[in-house]
């Protein structure tokens, strides 16, 4: 069959022979396919994971995945990374690449990081460490707008809260603490 030539004519995916042969209009989301591959994207689609956002919000424990658990965890993390990038682009709007690069120099690279700073403190940090003749610090009002949008993003996707440079640093320090024996008040040499 061929597609209707009239641009206003209605047609369905059944007009495309290969799509019709593959089970009709039910093809996995292309963003999920890029992450998991065609075969696994079809499986995820059948499990109700119909978008990258849905994959990002998933938990590998939801699936009885057996040998695929590590792969699913990796796909979820990749989906979260891509969703995080998209959220930052929305938060910073037209200035996204430059603003994101500048904030990364300050250790601020996620919506949660933006929420973890008072607006005036973030402006002061920006002014003291980055601002120069070519780069101006954002206003307090602009930072408040960023925070409002960041809050909306976190409310819509609570998993974004775990993606924080500060949380990653805290986790890293906790892991580092595991490498050293605990010291109690009674241990060690006595002085005096």
């Amino acid at each position: 069959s061929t597609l209707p030539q009239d641009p206003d004519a209605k047609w369905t995916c059944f007009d495309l022979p290969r799509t019709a042969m593959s089970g009709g209009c039910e093809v996995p989301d292309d963003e999920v396919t890029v992450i998991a591959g065609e075969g696994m994207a079809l499986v995820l689609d059948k499990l109700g994971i119909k978008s990258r956002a849905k994959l990002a919000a998933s938990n590998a424990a939801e699936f009885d995945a057996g040998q695929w658990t590590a792969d699913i965890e990796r796909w979820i993390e990749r989906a979260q990374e891509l969703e995080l990038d998209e959220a930052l682009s929305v938060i910073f709007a037209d200035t996204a690449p430059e603003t994101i690069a500048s904030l990364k120099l300050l250790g601020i690279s996620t919506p949660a990081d933006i929420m973890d700073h008072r607006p005036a403190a973030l402006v002061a940090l920006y002014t003291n460490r980055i601002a120069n003749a070519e780069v101006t610090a954002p206003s307090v009002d602009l930072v408040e707008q960023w925070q409002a949008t960041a809050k909306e993003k976190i409310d819509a996707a609570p998993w974004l809260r775990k993606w924080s440079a500060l949380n990653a640093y805290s986790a890293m320090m906790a892991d580092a603490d595991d490498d050293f024996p605990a010291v109690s008040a009674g241990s060690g040499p006595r002085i005096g």
Side-chain angles (χ1 to χ4, degrees):
S1 91
T2 61
L3 292 176
Q5 298 303 309
D6 178 6
D8 295 326
K10 291 187 179 188
W11 60 276
T12 68
C13 63
F14 288 106
D15 292 319
L16 300 172
R18 184 175 170 156
T19 305
M21 288 186 301
S22 70
C25 293
E26 299 220 10
V27 293
D29 181 81
D30 59 335
E31 292 177 322
V32 175
T33 301
V34 167
I35 293 168
E38 280 187 48
M40 290 311 294
L42 187 58
V43 171
L44 290 170
D45 183 75
K46 297 299 180 201
L47 292 171
I49 307 299
K50 304 226 178 248
S51 68
R52 185 181 72 196
K54 179 85 170 162
L55 179 59
S58 298
N59 182 331
E62 296 172 29
F63 307 98
D64 184 15
Q67 68 183 11
W68 293 97
T69 300
D71 292 311
I72 290 173
E73 288 171 348
R74 191 176 69 249
W75 298 333
I76 290 169
E77 186 171 316
R78 182 64 183 141
Q80 289 178 346
E81 290 169 354
L82 294 169
E83 288 291 307
L84 174 63
D85 289 345
E86 189 172 301
L88 291 174
S89 293
V90 170
I91 292 166
F92 299 119
D94 296 334
T95 63
E98 298 81 16
T99 304
I100 292 169
S102 295
L103 290 172
K104 281 185 178 181
L105 294 173
L106 300 174
I108 299 168
S109 57
T110 69
D113 295 337
I114 296 162
M115 297 297 299
D116 288 340
H117 289 79
R118 289 187 334 268
L122 198 146
V123 170
L125 187 64
Y126 204 101
T127 301
N128 293 334
R129 294 200 185 160
I130 295 177
N132 58 42
E134 297 172 13
V135 180
T136 58
S139 68
V140 170
D141 289 342
L142 182 57
V143 173
E144 288 173 347
Q145 289 174 9
W146 292 346
Q147 288 183 329
T149 307
K151 182 179 181 333
E152 290 172 9
K153 292 293 179 187
I154 291 171
D155 288 347
W159 60 264
L160 276 170
R161 174 55 72 185
K162 81 172 189 167
W163 283 82
S164 163
L166 297 174
N167 288 343
Y169 179 75
S170 297
M172 181 183 72
M173 294 310 292
D175 288 344
D177 289 344
D178 292 341
D179 295 336
F180 297 98
V183 179
S184 68
S187 66
R190 289 190 164 234
I191 300 178

